[in-house]
Every structure is written in C-alpha cells, then in structure tokens.
Amino acid sequence: MSTLTFLGAVGEVTGSRYLIEVEGGDRTYRLLLECGLHQGGRQADAANAVPFGALAKQLDAVVLSHGHLDHAGLLPKLVREGYDGPIHCTRGTRDLLDIMLEDAAFIMAKDVEWENKRRQRSGRPLAEPLYALEDVERTLALCKSHGYGQPIELPGGVSLVFHDAGHILGSGIVELAVPSAGLTKRLVFSGDLGNPSSVLMKDPARLYDADVVLMESTYGDRDHRPLEETLEEFAQVLEEAHASGGNVLIPAFAVGRTQEILYHLSVLYHEGRLRQQMVFLDSPMAIKVTELYHRARKSLDAEDLKVLNIAASGDTSQYLPILRMTRTVEESMAINRIHGGAIIIAGAGMCTGGRIVHHFRYNLEKANTRLVIVGFQAAGTLGRQLVDGAERVRVLGQELEVRAKVHTIGGFSAHAGQSQLIGWAGAFRERPRLYLVHGEPQTQQALKSALAESGIEAFIPAYGERIEL
C-alpha cells in the first residue's frame, strides 16, 4: 500500500512538503512533493532549521509544482544534507529557480553576517546559513525540466504529468499515477492555482479524474474583487498619492505580482491616467525575473500581450517609458532623496526584508505616503502587522510610527478565490478524497463549509498525518 504523509503547509500557507512512499517489491520508494521554506517570523525560522535527517539520503526523487520559495526554498538545504537524486519541474520553474535560490542564499549570507556581529559581541556561538551558493549550484545541476502534458517515469513505477496552474511562469498542477496494492491511484496536487482574472498567465487547467486531491486554500474564505473594480481602486490610490505629493510604496513579490503590477501601470500610462513621473523597480531579483518573463513571453497569455502590442515583435521600449530599474545599492539609496511623486516597487513581498524596509524608514512616518499591499501577508510578518492596522512597527531596529495610509488591494491576487477553488474541485468526477492544504485554519474551515454546501466533502490534515492512497 502506498502512502502520503503531510510534512508542511498544513495549518499554514507556507512550508509546502509531502512525502509519498511506494511499496515496490523488496524496497520502499520515497518521493518528495515540494520542499518549501516556512515564512513568517521566528517560529518559521525554527521550522526551517530542523534537519531532514535520514530522509535526505533515502529519497529517490523530488517533484516541484513551481518556483516560489514556500514551495522550493529548502531544496538546497536538502542537497546540503545529502540528497543527490533528480528534481523534476517544468522548464519555467527551472529558469526561475536559478534566480530565486541564488537570491535566497545571498540574503541568508547577509542576514547571518549581521547576526554573527551581534553574537560575537555577546560571546554566543556563531550562526550558519541554511545553505550557501555552492549548495544552490549543486541543486540546479539536479533539476530535470519538462513541458506541460509530458509523461515522466519516476522510481517505483510512478508516472508524473505537469499541467498549467496559471499562477506564475512555469507553475504546474502535479498529477501522479501511483501503484498501490495492485492498483494505480491518481494523486493530483493543485500547487498554487492561478486567478483567471490575472493578466499574463493562462487559466488553470481543469482535471477530471483523481482518487486523492490536495488543494491549496490560501484565499478559501473569500472571492477577490472583480479586476475592473480593483484597477479603478488602484488608479484612485495613485491619483490620491499624486494629489497629496507623497510617494507610493508597493511591496511586491518578485515573481508574478511585480510583472502584473508593471503591466497595469503600463496600461494606465498609455491611457494617460498615470500622473506619477517616476516608477522604480527596486529589486535585482524582480528585474531578473521581469527580463525572464520577457524572454519567455511565448508562454504567456497572447491576448494580454496584444494590449501592449509586444506579442509578436517583443519590442518593450515603449512598455513603460518612466520605469527605472535600480540594480545597485547606490541606486536604491538615491531613491530615498525623492520625497514625492514616485512609485517604488520593491521586495520583499511580505516586508520581511529586502529593499522595501529601507524605504519604510524614509516614508512610513509621512502622512502623504501611500502603502499599497497587493499580495498575501503571512501571519507573523511585518506586512501582516501593517495590514492589521499596527500604529507602530519595528523596522531595522528602529521604532516607526505608521502615518502612511495603508491600502490592501486583494484583487491583484495570483491565487484562485473561493468560488474558483470550489469550481476547480467540483470538476472532478467520482468525488475523490479532497484534502485542504496551504491555508490558515480559519480560512480552511470556511472553505470546507463552502465546499460542503456544494456537496463536496473536504478534509483538513494535521502535521505528520499519514494517509493511504
């Protein structure tokens, strides 16, 4: 009998990890589905530091749905601890991992360097990063990339197919055919399902046959606002910021959300509705990803690209003429001499570090600043504190009063909303066993109840729970 064990993204949105064990003859084959980083404060840091133990050398293969760090960010740690087998992913995911993991290792090294200065002063043992650049290089060398719809044979007689999840470049719905007790059981993992209203990505594929389904539930308690209303709200915030003379800060995830925001700013610019004269993309990683999206534009939604007249020629010279990409630290610091009239897009998306927190120091205490939150903020993050209305926050060791006006615009989400999740789950014939993952407890309960009203039974697994396939 083959089994699946829930090792992450249960009762939380991040830290995706599931172990599949297949009995085959005289041995057990072990496949790891996802290897994600936990995000959201000290508790997450502690979870990331837990060793993989014997599992790192017992695994026969790893399968990834997509390149976001909460799904793939611990891969180099797994390799550092002894894993040397194949890592299966889509082509777009492989390209993104090259950027994402290198950036993560660089940030970790900087954070540890800063932490060890403190530890040296107090005589405490020095810290080590979860992994280093050499671990990233070894990880990338293990990646095997595949196209959508292409069957891949895995150890233990398991078959894998990726389907387009419509979330970010290369994102996949994972379909696994797993031998179990003389039968073949079909396991489908949604990965992160895209929001059909989002630009650039194609709509998520719908699957119809499965025995077991793992479905994300990040926004399982609500639907997103219609895109037209969201764009009007966004345009109004930008107009108010212009009128007040302040800057607009947008903490944006480097993959997906940044490219979507740039798309909408470009449309507003060409419609003559963007009053600001400077847009800064202040994130080296987001710049690299944006350039990757341009190179991979054949994978994007052609209808959306037609709006910008770049689908065929690829000419982006007039995409957003006022956009300035700031790669160096010096260029980033220079932005803080601008006291108004700028839109500053910077990472990290949950405000847990990166260049956005430096811009907070110069802008968060100004009443004419507009802070626009366009993505999910995990519990325990600085972004979540700001969304929840914190009047004071601690940034880079400094206490700041939040005088800026905070706008949460959820309609830009790259995740499916409640109705879309129910529709995706309802497409399966024969009512497979459905497990909700990647969601906070209250959100999952809300989705479970909504699914029940549609005649779909769902289960909420616990950490370490093991099920038979």
Side-chain angles (χ1 to χ4, degrees), residues 86-146:
I87 299 168
H88 296 280
C89 58
T90 67
R91 290 166 190 149
T93 295
R94 169 61 183 79
D95 290 339
L96 281 173
L97 288 178
D98 200 351
I99 300 169
M100 304 282 286
L101 296 180
E102 181 179 324
D103 184 79
F106 177 78
I107 291 173
M108 283 178 195
K110 288 292 184 184
D111 288 346
V112 166
E113 181 183 350
W114 182 80
E115 173 66 18
N116 282 340
K117 287 179 181 177
R118 296 176 55 201
R119 293 191 177 201
Q120 281 179 324
R121 289 195 295 267
S122 59
R124 290 183 294 156
L126 298 183
E128 282 193 19
L130 294 175
Y131 50 82
L133 282 173
E134 55 264 31
D135 302 309
V136 170
E137 291 168 3
R138 289 165 55 213
T139 300
L140 295 172
L142 297 174
C143 288
K144 311 291 182 186
S145 59
H146 312 280

Side-chain angles (χ1 to χ4, degrees), residues 405-445:
K405 191 170 182 180
V406 180
H407 300 267
T408 302
I409 304 183
F412 285 133
S413 176
H415 287 263
Q418 186 187 80
S419 296
Q420 293 152 350
L421 290 169
I422 293 171
W424 188 81
F428 287 99
R429 297 184 279 252
E430 306 299 329
R431 291 290 184 255
R433 280 182 289 154
L434 176 67
Y435 294 87
L436 302 181
V437 294
H438 285 276
E440 294 180 349
Q442 287 183 319
T443 301
Q444 291 183 318
Q445 288 294 341

Side-chain angles (χ1 to χ4, degrees), residues 123-376:
R124 290 183 294 156
L126 298 183
E128 282 193 19
L130 294 175
Y131 50 82
L133 282 173
E134 55 264 31
D135 302 309
V136 170
E137 291 168 3
R138 289 165 55 213
T139 300
L140 295 172
L142 297 174
C143 288
K144 311 291 182 186
S145 59
H146 312 280
Y148 293 126
Q150 174 186 341
I152 305 119
E153 294 304 315
L154 303 183
V158 177
S159 179
L160 160 68
V161 179
F162 289 108
H163 305 273
D164 195 343
H167 176 57
I168 62 170
L169 184 67
S171 60
I173 297 166
V174 176
E175 180 182 11
L176 293 167
V178 184
S180 185
L183 301 171
T184 297
K185 296 296 183 179
R186 199 169 299 276
L187 168 67
V188 172
F189 171 49
S190 69
D192 284 349
L193 288 174
N195 180 354
S197 296
S198 295
V199 296
L200 300 179
M201 294 295 106
K202 298 174 182 176
D203 289 353
R206 288 206 175 193
L207 278 66
Y208 301 98
D209 297 302
D211 297 290
V212 176
V213 175
L214 312 183
M215 185 175 76
E216 68 121 319
S217 53
T218 309
Y219 287 99
D221 59 345
R222 59 194 182 277
D223 282 328
H224 305 303
R225 291 179 66 188
L227 183 60
E228 295 78 10
E229 293 180 18
T230 298
L231 289 176
E232 282 306 311
E233 181 184 3
F234 186 45
Q236 187 60 42
V237 171
L238 297 179
E239 182 65 33
E240 289 177 10
H242 172 75
S244 69
N247 290 326
V248 179
L249 304 183
I250 306 179
F253 297 90
V255 183
R257 200 63 43 83
T258 291
Q259 292 72 40
E260 182 171 7
I261 294 299
L262 289 174
Y263 176 94
H264 292 305
L265 288 174
S266 177
V267 171
L268 290 173
Y269 175 86
H270 288 289
E271 290 177 348
R273 300 178 64 194
L274 187 62
R275 305 285 293 278
Q276 282 81 2
Q277 295 302 306
M278 295 171 285
V279 176
F280 293 96
L281 180 51
D282 189 29
S283 164
M285 181 168 70
I287 292 169
K288 290 179 183 177
V289 173
T290 301
E291 292 169 342
L292 173 60
Y293 266 59
H294 171 57
R295 294 195 300 273
R297 60 188 176 278
K298 289 183 180 178
S299 301
L300 305 180
D301 190 309
E303 293 303 312
D304 290 333
L305 293 181
K306 281 180 185 176
V307 174
L308 303 175
N309 298 314
I310 64 170
S313 68
D315 179 16
T316 57
S317 61
Q318 295 303 309
Y319 184 83
L320 185 55
I322 60 173
L323 174 64
R324 304 179 190 182
M325 296 189 179
T326 51
R327 301 174 193 268
T328 68
V329 173
E330 291 74 20
E331 289 172 323
S332 177
M333 291 171 65
I335 297 172
N336 291 318
R337 294 198 290 269
I338 300 170
H339 300 293
I343 298 172
I344 305 164
I345 305 168
M350 295 186 192
C351 313
T352 51
R355 293 182 177 180
I356 193 67
V357 294
H358 292 277
H359 297 304
F360 280 174
R361 290 179 64 186
Y362 290 88
N363 292 275
L364 211 53
E365 294 191 311
K366 297 177 181 177
N368 62 357
T369 295
R370 298 295 185 268
L371 172 60
V372 182
I373 302 291
V374 295
F376 181 82

